[in-house]
Amino acid sequence: MLSDDPRVAAWQHRLNGLSRFAAGGCSWNRPTLDAIAAAGFTLAEVEHAQLHKAAPLARPLVIGSAVSGGPAPPRVPGGAATARA
């Protein structure tokens, strides 16, 4: 998740190649919410948070849900949604 702090965001851009290599493809500089909206989803709930024990460059976090124009995935016991193929 790209930080809202311009100084942190600048470092996220500079070190993104390293983070992708060291963190299994994770991109620190991805505008996550914009990418979700660009994929055709509507953000239903969004909470901005931080991973407090992580390095400052990896702290920005969003938690929430998004919906597509299609039907919702079927629910299974326990409340988890199943993935569609």
Side-chain angles (χ1 to χ4, degrees), residues 2-14 56-60:
L2 186 62
S3 176
D4 291 333
D5 181 332
R7 294 176 300 153
V8 174
W11 278 104
Q12 287 176 314
H13 289 304
R14 286 183 195 114
L57 299 177
R59 283 185 190 160

Side-chain angles (χ1 to χ4, degrees), residues 36 41-45 64-68:
I36 293 169
F41 292 91
T42 300
L43 297 166
E45 297 177 38
S65 62
V67 294
S68 69

Side-chain angles (χ1 to χ4, degrees), residues 18-85:
L18 175 63
S19 74
R20 290 185 62 130
F21 174 75
C26 182
S27 292
W28 285 339
N29 68 345
R30 183 173 293 142
T32 305
L33 297 177
D34 293 340
I36 293 169
F41 292 91
T42 300
L43 297 166
E45 297 177 38
V46 175
E47 175 187 346
H48 292 267
Q50 289 194 8
L51 298 169
H52 294 289
K53 294 186 179 185
L57 299 177
R59 283 185 190 160
L61 173 68
V62 290
I63 303 167
S65 62
V67 294
S68 69
R75 306 295 289 181
V76 296
T82 59
R84 287 188 274 181

